[in-house]
């Protein structure tokens, strides 16, 4: 697959050197408000996808927790289809034998917990160390809805690839910062999709920021190529008001689309680009497009990560891992409950095995 855009400047990095491999294992079977209380009102489990009609309030209401017995039964059935990537670690990674693993990680809810204030979504030093150790062995990318610079300021690891704004703003590490980029490789990976939308995004940001001042707890976050309207700290009876204000503004901008995530509305350019496209682009940049000897692993917790899970399903390679404590419709194959389990999973990928020391590169 070839990626191009009039607004993009793309330089392809040389293929990564061989990474760690796993021995085969048998496959698994078949504002002045109390935001913490508000955030606990509902479990966000609605179907992934764009908001094309109906009410956000109705969607969220329908996802409310049911009685304990029903919830337990549903969770048990769901775990049969999406087993724990920790419990079934060997089975999940068994197909990676003889292949180059490439790691893709969402940020919010995956490497850091979901918090009331998006600016305080800071990852722990233990998580940063886990990501650093994984990146020593595998090409590793952070794929986030946040703007690229903001994610980098959270993660602070120069050896990673960063795909911000839902993959519309991608930059790879400098050659001297990442051993996976060979010394004789081309320039660092750089890609920007939809730059022509930047003035429009800025205009909508100013308009929405003014509109949201009337709704306590609502907040608009500028992520350069997209906007996030957070309503985690908004009273439930005002959710409709948030949605109506956003829809009202977007009526004047037919080239922007509205999707939703965990207590957030996302506004993005209506172009064929998402986290799945970012995954494909990065694999191509690393020289793995169309190859069978690559094993991508994508870990994410939100609806926008479903685009990447679906790409992996379509490739028939690698695995998607959804981070969630509750059943959700997902294209991921496995699950982890929270960032604590994500950190444990990353640690298992590089820990000593079979008494022979760390798993070695081929």
């Amino acid at each position: 697959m070839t990626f191009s855009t009039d607004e993009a400047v793309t330089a392809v990095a040389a293929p990564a050197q061989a990474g760690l491999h796993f021995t085969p294992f048998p496959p698994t079977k078949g504002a002045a408000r109390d935001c913490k209380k508000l955030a606990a009102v509902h479990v966000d489990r609605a179907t992934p996808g764009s908001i094309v009609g109906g009410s956000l309030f109705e969607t969220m209401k329908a996802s409310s927790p049911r009685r304990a017995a029903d919830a337990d039964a549903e969770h048990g059935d769901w775990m049969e289809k999406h087993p724990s990537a920790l419990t079934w670690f060997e089975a999940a990674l068994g197909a990676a034998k003889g292949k180059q693993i490439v790691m893709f990680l969402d940020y919010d809810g995956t490497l850091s917990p979901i918090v009331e204030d998006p600016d305080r979504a800071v990852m722990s030093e233990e998580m940063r160390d886990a990501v650093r150790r994984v990146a020593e062995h595998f090409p590793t990318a952070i794929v986030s809805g946040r703007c690229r610079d903001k994610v980098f300021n959270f993660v602070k690891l120069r050896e990673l690839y960063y795909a911000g704004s839902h993959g519309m703003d991608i930059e790879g590490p400098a050659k001297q910062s990442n051993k996976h980029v060979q010394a004789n490789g081309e320039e660092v990976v750089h890609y920007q999709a939809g730059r022509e939308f930047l003035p429009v995004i800025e205009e909508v940001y100013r308009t929405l920021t003014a509109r949201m001042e009337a709704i306590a707890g609502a907040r608009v976050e500028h992520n350069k190529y997209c906007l996030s309207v957070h309503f985690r700290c908004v009273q439930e009876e005002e959710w409709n008001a948030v949605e109506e204000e956003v829809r009202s503004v977007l009526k004047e901008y037919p080239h922007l689309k509205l999707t939703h995530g965990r207590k957030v509305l996302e506004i993005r350019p209506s172009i064929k680009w998402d986290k799945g496209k970012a995954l494909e682009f990065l694999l191509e940049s690393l020289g793995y497009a169309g190859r069978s000897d690559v094993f991508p692993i994508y870990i994410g917790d939100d609806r926008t990560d479903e685009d990447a899970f679906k790409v992996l399903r379509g490739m028939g390679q690698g695995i998607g891992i959804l981070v969630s404590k509750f059943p959700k419709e997902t294209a991921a194959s496995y699950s982890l409950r929270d960032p604590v389990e994500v950190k444990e999973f990353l640690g298992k990928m590089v820990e000593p095995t079979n008494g022979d020391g760390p798993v070695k590169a081929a």
Side-chain angles (χ1 to χ4, degrees), residues 56-82:
L56 170 67
F57 176 83
E58 293 170 355
T59 299
M60 298 298 292
K61 194 75 172 179
S63 69
S64 299
R66 292 177 288 281
R67 63 189 180 90
D70 291 341
D72 289 345
E74 180 184 1
H75 190 266
D77 291 342
W78 188 82
M79 288 299 295
E80 284 287 327
K81 299 177 182 177
H82 312 284

Side-chain angles (χ1 to χ4, degrees), residues 243-269:
E243 181 187 9
E244 289 169 2
E245 289 289 359
V246 173
R247 287 184 182 276
S248 175
V249 171
L250 292 187
K251 285 180 181 178
E252 305 299 322
Y253 301 92
H255 297 299
L256 298 181
K257 65 180 178 181
L258 178 64
T259 61
H260 62 116
R262 297 175 65 179
K263 301 296 193 306
V264 62
L265 298 177
E266 304 278 6
I267 299 166
R268 290 184 273 168

Side-chain angles (χ1 to χ4, degrees), residues 151-186:
V151 177
F152 175 78
N153 288 335
F154 279 135
V155 179
K156 297 183 174 66
L157 296 176
R158 295 188 179 279
E159 59 268 38
L160 307 185
Y161 297 82
Y162 290 88
S165 301
H166 298 286
M168 286 184 281
D169 187 9
I170 300 175
E171 187 165 293
K175 289 191 286 289
Q176 65 270 23
S177 300
N178 191 322
K179 67 180 182 180
H180 299 296
V181 180
Q182 297 178 1
N184 61 349
E186 300 294 333

Side-chain angles (χ1 to χ4, degrees), residues 1 12 15 43 109 173 187 201 213 217 241 261 284 290 294 327 330 337 340:
M1 182 179 296
V12 178
V43 178
E187 294 300 318
I201 292 292
E213 289 179 356
E284 179 176 305
V294 59
T330 181
R337 289 177 57 83
V340 174

Side-chain angles (χ1 to χ4, degrees), residues 23-29 85 87-96 295 319 334:
T23 55
F25 295 90
T28 181
K29 289 185 178 181
T87 304
W88 294 95
F89 180 80
E90 291 84 359
L93 276 297
F295 193 86
I319 55 172
Y334 291 87

Side-chain angles (χ1 to χ4, degrees), residues 171-247:
E171 187 165 293
K175 289 191 286 289
Q176 65 270 23
S177 300
N178 191 322
K179 67 180 182 180
H180 299 296
V181 180
Q182 297 178 1
N184 61 349
E186 300 294 333
E187 294 300 318
V188 297
V189 174
H190 186 70
Y191 190 88
Q192 293 180 322
R195 291 188 63 184
E196 68 272 19
F197 288 92
L198 291 178
V200 174
I201 292 292
E202 180 64 33
E203 183 177 319
V204 173
Y205 172 72
R206 291 195 300 267
T207 302
L208 277 177
T209 298
R211 295 281 191 96
M212 291 300 131
E213 289 179 356
I215 303 175
R219 175 177 177 178
V220 184
E221 182 180 13
H222 199 320
N223 290 310
K224 190 173 181 178
Y225 290 88
C226 59
L227 302 175
S228 299
V229 182
H230 299 276
F231 59 94
R232 181 168 296 276
C233 293
V234 174
Q235 290 283 9
E236 182 182 299
E237 59 266 24
E238 295 185 89
W239 287 355
N240 264 347
V242 173
E243 181 187 9
E244 289 169 2
E245 289 289 359
V246 173
R247 287 184 182 276

